[in-house]
Amino acid sequence: MVSRVIPVEDFDLVIFGGTGDLARRKILPGLFRRFLSGQMPETSRIIGAARSDLDTDGYRQLIREAIAEFGGEESSDAEGIDAFLGQLHYVTVDAKGDGGWSELHDLIRFEVVNAFYFSVAPSLFGDLAERLHTYKIADADSRVVVEKPFGRDLASAKALNATLAEHFDESQVYRIDHYLGKETVQNLMAVRFGNMLFEPLWNNHYVDHIEITVAETVGVGGRGSYYDKSGAMRDMVQNHLMQLLCLIAMEAPSEFESDAVRDEKLKVIRALQPVEPHHIVRGQYDAKGDEPSYRQDAEDPRTFTESFVAMRCEIANWRWAGVPFYLRTGKKLKARTSEIAVVFKDLGHSIFPGDEKRHRNILAIQLQPNEGMQLQVTIKEPGPGGMRLVDVPLDMTFAEALGPDAEDVTDAYERLIMDVIRGNQTLFMRGDEVEAAWAWTDPIIEGWQARHDVPKLYDQGSSGPEDAMALMHREGRKWREIKG
Ligand code: BG6
């Protein structure tokens, strides 16, 4: 296969929190894979910066271990690892004090792209941003990368945006939602805006409803006390599901350019209607044999935080008025799958005698684990016996359709970090988008608190609470099966 990798410009990337979990699990193994692919110039450098009292050798050893653990297949490439580690440096810095900042300044090459990854608690963003300027490390060309959670409500998100805005222009800020870096999420845009077939049907005349499911099999064990302050609504819906909803519902931007795309996404979020309390179901997974319940994982026997949410939303605009969008996400469900299904309306009249089934075209887009698309179409069942109709999927599993090229799928973090270096903000959330998403989410969460809403228990390995099924059943619809 001809390599399509285009090397990025030379850069110095500073990772604050460079010894942390995210850096070890995702950021550095991801960068290592980009290095092996030839995308990282040999002169580029990654500078870990954290409180730990390490030197560069100690840091290289730490990352060597991280790559062995989280680097996947490539972690057996000993020569590659040595070469990659050679590009790593480390500085001990005190985010709240003066230690290490002058050393960091001396290490940076100002003539190349400079990016600063804040892989730290949001409460430190202000301290880091301030010191980057005081010590003249960052300038108007630097880029700063921040992670979710970006706030826990509108007020805190606004405060974070304001803190960053004191030191950086919006064009320098890269807010990561790793769902936007997933291959198939970008394919949503390609499918919608690169084909003639779908656009004429992509509206309330032809679409009955849209389902977005992000189901996980893992629980919150190990991060229960953190997760419990957040819950599925803040952890998944406000960001990941919201981004998927935007991409499926937005108008075509005039060009594939960062602000044009983000303007259209913002319009979707702003058109989202408040959600009626009876249109949301929250759940908590129950214990199963030796498997702990959500409450046990969260180490709080009285917590009302949800590990599952299902809801019915509406977008009030010309394209989507009257079309329900059903969103659902949860932990400890039947299978790990993320899927978007566009369910088209019934024909309304069948010319085939005896054919009473409701045939529906469904475009199902799987984001993970098996990336692909299926279009359900109705055909004649082969053989004698008259015109018996049957629904079959036109299956386009990308691995089959694209062969070895499909395997060249870049992990979300890798793609996003390379986009930071390229200076492309299209797949990052703009400050106003994040705020609009919180403005829609806040009243939902406040409503639960005001009503002392108690999440429904659901069985581990199920599709969530019964009430979530009822959400669609009472409207004559049915969730698609959760299968991996
Ligand atoms: C994270 C959430 O943002 O996304 C986690 O905090 C969740 O709770 C994870 O498990 C899911 O990501 P992915 O890529 O595995 O679908």
Side-chain angles (χ1 to χ4, degrees):
M1 188 175 69
V2 182
S3 169
R4 288 157 299 153
V5 171
I6 303 170
V8 293
E9 267 181 74
D10 195 7
F11 66 87
D12 279 357
L13 168 69
V14 179
I15 307 175
F16 292 106
T19 54
D21 202 49
L22 185 72
R24 289 185 309 108
R25 271 175 196 275
K26 291 280 181 190
I27 306 174
L28 282 142
L31 283 164
F32 170 56
R33 281 191 291 273
R34 290 297 90 208
F35 171 83
L36 289 183
S37 77
Q39 200 164 19
M40 256 178 73
E42 281 171 16
T43 44
S44 57
R45 296 177 320 167
I46 299 158
I47 303 168
R51 254 182 325 195
S52 315
D53 194 13
L54 283 176
D55 57 10
T56 289
D57 281 345
Y59 189 58
R60 289 178 179 167
Q61 182 54 30
L62 185 86
I63 301 309
R64 183 186 290 282
E65 287 158 20
I67 291 175
E69 195 172 349
F70 306 113
E73 278 173 26
E74 288 87 352
S75 54
S76 54
D77 183 346
E79 242 176 72
I81 293 180
D82 286 340
F84 174 71
L85 293 177
Q87 298 189 220
L88 261 55
H89 299 262
Y90 183 79
V91 189
T92 305
V93 287
D94 178 2
K96 288 183 171 291
D98 294 320
W101 291 95
S102 304
E103 287 90 317
L104 186 57
H105 176 275
D106 293 347
L107 202 55
I108 301 268
R109 297 171 302 155
F110 292 97
E111 65 284 8
V112 301
V113 171
N114 289 170
F116 302 96
Y117 201 130
F118 290 4
S119 180
V120 296
S123 55
L124 293 177
F125 289 1
D127 294 311
L128 294 180
E130 200 184 306
R131 282 165 180 74
L132 282 174
H133 282 88
T134 311
Y135 287 89
K136 302 208 174 346
I137 299 172
D139 61 22
D141 293 324
S142 316
R143 291 152 204 179
V144 53
V145 186
V146 296
E147 277 286 333
K148 80 178 257 278
F150 199 84
R152 53 174 286 105
D153 54 19
L154 178 58
S156 52
K158 275 188 168 169
L160 280 181
N161 276 337
T163 304
L164 291 173
E166 270 178 44
H167 303 280
F168 298 100
D169 185 73
E170 180 63 32
S171 62
Q172 297 180 269
V173 181
Y174 292 74
R175 293 178 196 76
I176 290 198
D177 179 319
H178 79 280
Y179 265 58
L180 286 178
K182 289 186 191 272
E183 185 68 25
T184 319
V185 173
Q186 291 169 72
N187 229 327
L188 277 178
M189 286 186 275
V191 166
R192 284 199 59 197
F193 306 128
N195 289 285
M196 180 53 101
L197 189 60
F198 302 113
E199 174 53 26
L201 308 177
W202 213 259
N203 56 51
N204 55 7
H205 298 292
Y206 297 100
V207 174
D208 179 78
H209 68 275
I210 291 182
E211 275 179 56
I212 302 179
T213 295
V214 177
E216 297 184 271
T217 48
V218 292
V220 301
R223 64 196 276 256
S225 52
Y226 157 78
Y227 181 93
D228 200 49
K229 293 188 206 77
S230 146
M233 190 71 191
R234 287 190 172 101
D235 186 51
M236 297 294 288
V237 179
Q238 187 272 346
N239 36 77
H240 305 326
L241 276 86
M242 181 72 66
Q243 290 296 327
L244 299 181
L245 178 83
C246 285
L247 296 178
I248 205 85
M250 73 188 199
E251 297 300 315
S254 55
E255 55 181 328
F256 192 58
E257 180 276 329
S258 62
D259 274 330
V261 170
R262 297 185 302 173
D263 286 346
E264 295 306 334
K265 281 163 51 196
L266 179 63
K267 287 183 205 161
V268 173
I269 306 176
R270 290 198 172 144
L272 266 173
Q273 292 298 285
V275 182
E276 304 280 338
H278 65 280
H279 282 154
I280 303 200
V281 177
R282 302 163 78 215
Q284 272 182 353
Y285 56 83
D286 204 352
K288 185 179 184 184
D290 292 339
E291 293 290 320
S293 66
Y294 174 77
R295 289 182 167 196
Q296 287 164 320
D297 277 342
E299 294 169 22
D300 179 353
R302 298 152 71 93
T303 177
F304 287 158
T305 302
E306 74 287 349
S307 59
F308 174 97
V309 180
M311 63 169 76
R312 177 194 196 278
C313 313
E314 283 199 30
I315 299 172
N317 63 19
W318 272 29
R319 189 187 282 269
W320 295 119
V323 178
F325 284 73
Y326 297 97
L327 314 186
R328 137 180 96 156
T329 182
K331 307 275 185 201
K332 291 262 186 182
L333 296 178
K334 210 169 162 182
R336 175 171 186 255
T337 179
S338 298
E339 186 194 75
I340 301 175
V342 180
V343 181
F344 292 91
K345 291 187 175 173
D346 296 349
L347 270 184
H349 169 72
S350 173
I351 63 165
F352 304 106
D355 177 45
E356 273 145 28
K357 189 167 175 269
R358 283 173 101 185
H359 298 288
R360 291 192 143 173
N361 297 121
I362 300 175
L363 177 67
I365 303 162
Q366 272 93 37
L367 310 181
Q368 54 193 25
N370 303 313
E371 296 161 321
M373 274 178 19
Q374 291 94 37
L375 181 62
Q376 180 175 295
V377 290
T378 303
I379 59 167
K380 176 187 170 297
E381 200 176 308
M387 287 295 277
R388 281 176 289 111
L389 301 187
V390 60
D391 298 329
V392 293
L394 282 178
D395 194 344
M396 214 188 74
T397 305
F398 294 150
E400 279 173 28
L402 303 177
D405 281 11
E407 285 158 25
D408 186 26
V409 170
T410 316
D411 171 84
Y413 274 94
E414 298 170 37
R415 177 192 318 279
L416 293 174
I417 299 171
M418 290 299 110
D419 275 358
V420 173
I421 307 300
R422 279 188 283 251
N424 183 350
Q425 290 182 303
T426 311
L427 300 176
F428 297 83
M429 294 179 298
R430 212 168 52 191
D432 50 4
E433 255 183 275
V434 179
E435 290 184 13
W438 280 121
W440 176 79
T441 312
D442 276 3
I444 299 175
I445 297 176
E446 284 159 10
W448 292 335
Q449 285 160 354
R451 293 192 301 277
H452 302 290
D453 188 83
V454 181
K456 305 277 184 293
L457 287 180
Y458 61 92
D459 291 336
Q460 296 189 21
S462 72
S463 303
E466 281 302 314
D467 290 30
M469 303 298 139
L471 192 69
M472 284 187 84
H473 282 172
R474 62 177 182 247
E475 298 186 331
R477 301 187 174 101
K478 195 166 159 251
W479 290 102
R480 283 166 63 80
E481 200 188 326
I482 295 181
K483 45 182 187 201

